[in-house]
Amino acid sequence: MSLKKSILHILSVILHGEPKPVFAQVNYLQPNKRLSGKRIIITGGGRGLGASMAEKFVAEGADVLIAGRSEKSVKDTAERLKCKYLCLDVSKPAAFADFMREADAMLGGVNAIVNNAGVSLHEQTFFDVTPETFDAQIDTNLKGSFFLTQEFVKLVRTRPDKAVVLFTSSETGDTMDFRPYGFSKAAVNSMVQGLAYLFRKEGIRVNAVAPGITASDMTGIKSDGSLYSGDYATGRFYLPDEVAEMACFLLSDASGCVSGQIITCNNAQTINARWK
C-alpha cells in the first residue's frame, strides 16, 4: 500500500471505524482433465500467478514446463508440482531459439505457451521513471513475450495440431498510465488482437487474461494475509487461483471459438462508465 493510501486508510478508520471483514468467496471447477493433450510452457512459472497456473494445468492433465530466471524457484516449484522446468530470462531474446528447441523436446512437441513473466517497478511518480526502469519493464513485459511467441509460432505453425498462445496482461492495459508497466500491458493487448487476426486461419488462437491487483510477490500482497481493498466491487484483491481458472478455460478446447480476447479479471473495475 502506498503512503498516500495508508494515510487515507488511517483517516477513514478514525472517522468511520475499522471496515467490516471481507471474505473471499471463490468457486473452482472440479478438475476433469480438460487440458489432457496440452503441452504447455509457462514463463514466470516459479511463483505467484505462474505457479498457480502450473498447478491448475497439471491437475487438469496437461504436461507443463515452467521457466524463470531463478533456478531455485522454478526447480522447487517443479518438484512440488511434478512438472518440468528450464531457466530462462525473458528479457534476453538471444536465448529464445535454443530454449524453445529444448522445451519442445522435453514436452514431446509443445502446443501451448503462457507468456506470464512480468515485472512492475512501481514508480511512484512520472519523474521516478528512468531509462533503466523503462527498459527493464518493456524488455520483459513486451519485447520478451513478443519474440518468445515468435519462436513458438515458428515451431507450431507447420504442425497439424492446433496451438494456443496466452498472455498475462493487466487491468492497467485498459486505462491511461504514466509508467512503462502500463504502457507495456496496453501494447500487449494490441499484440494479442494483432496476432489472433494474423494467425486466425492457421489454427493458432491468441488470448490474454488481464488481472486486477492479485496476491503475488510482485504486488507484495500475501494470499494468506489481508486482501481488503476498497478499490474493487468485491472489496478485496484477487487470488492467483481465480485467474488460473480463467487461463485454464482459454487454453482448453472448450474455448475453441475464442481468439483475440483480453479477459479482464477485476469485476468491471476498469469499465469506462460515463456516470463514474
Side-chain angles (χ1 to χ4, degrees):
M1 185 180 291
S2 68
L3 178 59
K4 180 180 178 181
K5 286 190 175 181
S6 296
I7 294 171
L8 290 174
H9 176 69
I10 292 169
L11 290 174
S12 177
V13 169
I14 293 171
L15 293 173
H16 307 293
E18 284 286 352
K20 294 180 179 179
V22 176
F23 299 95
Q25 296 180 339
V26 182
N27 296 305
Y28 303 112
L29 295 176
Q30 188 70 22
N32 69 354
K33 303 302 179 184
R34 76 197 68 200
L35 295 183
S36 180
K38 301 297 182 185
R39 299 174 294 279
I40 307 169
I41 295 169
I42 307 172
T43 65
R47 57 188 183 178
L49 179 54
S52 290
M53 287 182 180
E55 185 171 8
K56 176 65 177 177
F57 301 165
V58 169
E60 292 287 0
D63 193 2
V64 173
L65 183 147
I66 59 173
R69 288 182 296 181
S70 167
E71 182 170 9
K72 183 181 187 311
S73 179
V74 291
K75 182 179 179 181
D76 288 349
T77 299
E79 289 177 350
R80 177 172 62 86
L81 300 180
K82 295 179 171 52
C83 67
K84 302 172 178 65
Y85 79 91
L86 284 172
C87 288
L88 179 71
D89 182 343
V90 296
S91 69
K92 310 293 184 186
F96 290 174
D98 289 341
F99 166 82
M100 193 60 65
R101 279 192 294 269
E102 187 172 358
D104 187 55
M106 291 173 67
L107 288 169
V110 62
N111 56 19
I113 187 168
V114 180
N115 290 292
N116 171 72
V119 59
S120 174
L121 298 180
H122 308 294
E123 298 97 336
Q124 292 299 304
T125 75
F126 172 72
F127 298 103
D128 291 324
V129 179
T130 67
E132 291 75 22
T133 65
F134 192 101
D135 287 348
Q137 292 168 95
I138 296 297
D139 285 353
T140 295
N141 302 345
L142 178 61
K143 182 178 177 180
S145 61
F146 177 93
F147 285 105
L148 190 60
T149 300
Q150 188 181 76
E151 292 298 331
F152 172 78
V153 172
K154 286 178 185 178
L155 275 178
V156 302
R157 70 186 309 192
T158 60
R159 295 174 178 173
D161 294 342
K162 294 181 179 180
V164 188
V165 180
L166 184 68
F167 291 84
T168 297
S169 184
S170 166
E171 66 178 5
T172 60
D174 290 340
T175 64
M176 61 78 209
D177 208 332
F178 61 83
R179 294 165 297 190
Y181 180 79
F183 305 157
S184 71
K185 296 304 183 177
V188 164
N189 290 355
S190 176
M191 177 164 57
V192 166
Q193 295 184 326
L195 296 181
Y197 190 80
L198 181 64
F199 298 117
R200 69 194 186 283
K201 296 182 180 180
E202 297 189 43
I204 301 173
R205 296 190 297 114
V206 186
N207 293 294
V209 288
I213 300 176
T214 304
S216 69
D217 290 337
M218 187 173 75
T219 61
I221 299 164
K222 304 296 184 183
S223 294
D224 57 355
S226 173
L227 295 177
Y228 173 76
S229 171
D231 292 337
Y232 292 113
T234 52
R236 63 175 177 83
F237 297 118
Y238 298 97
L239 295 169
D241 312 59
E242 297 176 85
V243 183
E245 286 285 334
M246 179 54 65
C248 180
F249 169 72
L250 291 172
L251 289 175
S252 75
D253 293 338
S255 63
C257 63
V258 180
S259 192
Q261 303 305 306
I262 298 97
I263 309 300
T264 305
C265 307
N266 70 357
N267 289 85
Q269 176 65 21
T270 47
I271 295 294
N272 186 24
R274 69 179 183 273
W275 55 83
K276 273 189 175 180

